[in-house]
Amino acid sequence: MSESILKNKIEVSFCTVTYNSSSKIVDFVKNIESLKSNIFNKKIYVVDNGSTDGTVAIVEELCTKYDDVSLMTPSKNGGFGFGNNYVIPSLTSDYHVVINPDVEIPSTQTIDDMVLYMEQHKEVGLLSPKIMNTDGTVQKLYKHNPSILDMALRFISPNVMKKRKSWFVHDETGYTQIGTIDHASGACMFFRTTIFKKVGGFDERYFMYMEDADITREVNQVSKAVFYPKVSVVHEWQRESHKKFKYTMYTLKSMAKYFNKWGWKWM
């Protein structure tokens, strides 16, 4: 499908949730602002979850510079899903991008290609691009629905059950094949806005972690979630859950909520 088929410009909204993101947010907004397209217009929402490092003041200044940037400051820090859902009443876009402030979109063509794919495939409600590390390697985030075993293996030696780990992240595809995805990464999710609203956004019972697995399952119940490796974004990945005890606890609590909701699948 070519862009010449589109009769009107498509509206694409972007939402990033910040928490002490002062070192990232300027580059993030400048990156999105650099996307100048013949097929889409953009709107950027920054939802701040109670930063104490000056992030809010920085975004307020950016709002004076760019008229398509809006800052929202909820009265509480309800977590990743809560922050992303905060924009739902304001959304009038055709497509909505949930994106971390440490993600870079390499070019306008990245968004153009996702828009055109979604316009051609009306059954798709969510696209997950290929996500790259800053060194050019692939982040293996094309996942099956998790089981207790798969989640437990995250905390065990990388030399244990290598075949199972390889299966879980679709290593056999070489990350070059388009396919249905069970668990897309919340670092960058390209939603059809009507589907994002239809599933009610993220389940806010998760404060952090597993909400991306949850919403991918919700999307797959009403439309289709697809891994789309023809485009990629760059993510400066911070594996906090492996670094600090409190993030490990967030992960374990979210795992319990996830399996209570979707069933305790052991393998």
Side-chain angles (χ1 to χ4, degrees), residues 6-34:
L6 299 175
K7 294 181 180 179
N8 300 301
K9 269 199 170 185
I10 299 296
E11 300 295 326
V12 179
S13 52
F14 295 81
C15 179
T16 195
V17 175
T18 53
Y19 179 75
N20 291 341
S21 305
S22 61
S23 65
K24 306 289 184 186
I25 193 62
V26 172
D27 287 343
F28 170 82
V29 170
K30 285 183 176 179
N31 175 232
I32 304 299
E33 289 293 343
S34 73

Side-chain angles (χ1 to χ4, degrees), residues 82-141:
F82 170 86
N84 274 292
N85 289 353
Y86 203 76
V87 303
I88 289 177
S90 301
L91 295 182
T92 58
S93 56
D94 299 291
Y95 298 103
H96 182 62
V97 186
V98 169
I99 184 168
N100 283 1
D102 58 357
V103 169
E104 179 184 357
I105 298 173
S107 70
T108 302
Q109 195 64 47
T110 302
I111 303 299
D112 283 350
D113 286 351
M114 287 197 282
V115 166
L116 293 172
Y117 182 86
M118 293 284 264
E119 287 292 300
Q120 191 174 17
H121 298 84
K122 298 295 187 180
E123 76 282 6
V124 177
L126 167 63
L127 276 190
S128 178
K130 182 161 60 176
I131 299 177
M132 310 295 291
N133 289 304
T134 54
D135 64 2
T137 56
V138 176
Q139 292 182 9
K140 295 184 178 180
L141 299 172

Side-chain angles (χ1 to χ4, degrees), residues 244-259:
K244 296 182 180 179
F245 176 74
K246 74 173 181 177
Y247 292 112
T248 299
M249 293 308 298
Y250 283 140
T251 301
L252 294 174
K253 289 178 180 179
S254 291
M255 284 169 56
K257 291 173 183 177
Y258 177 87
F259 291 117

Side-chain angles (χ1 to χ4, degrees), residues 159-197:
N159 297 317
V160 175
M161 298 189 71
K162 288 184 177 180
K163 287 186 178 179
R164 175 70 184 205
K165 290 179 178 178
S166 179
W167 168 83
F168 181 58
V169 297
H170 289 276
D171 264 341
E172 78 284 353
T173 68
Y175 280 65
T176 60
Q177 301 174 23
I178 297 172
T180 299
I181 188 169
D182 298 321
H183 175 185
S185 169
C188 185
M189 309 178 95
F190 192 91
F191 289 95
R192 194 178 302 277
T193 304
T194 54
I195 296 298
F196 186 64
K197 289 183 174 182

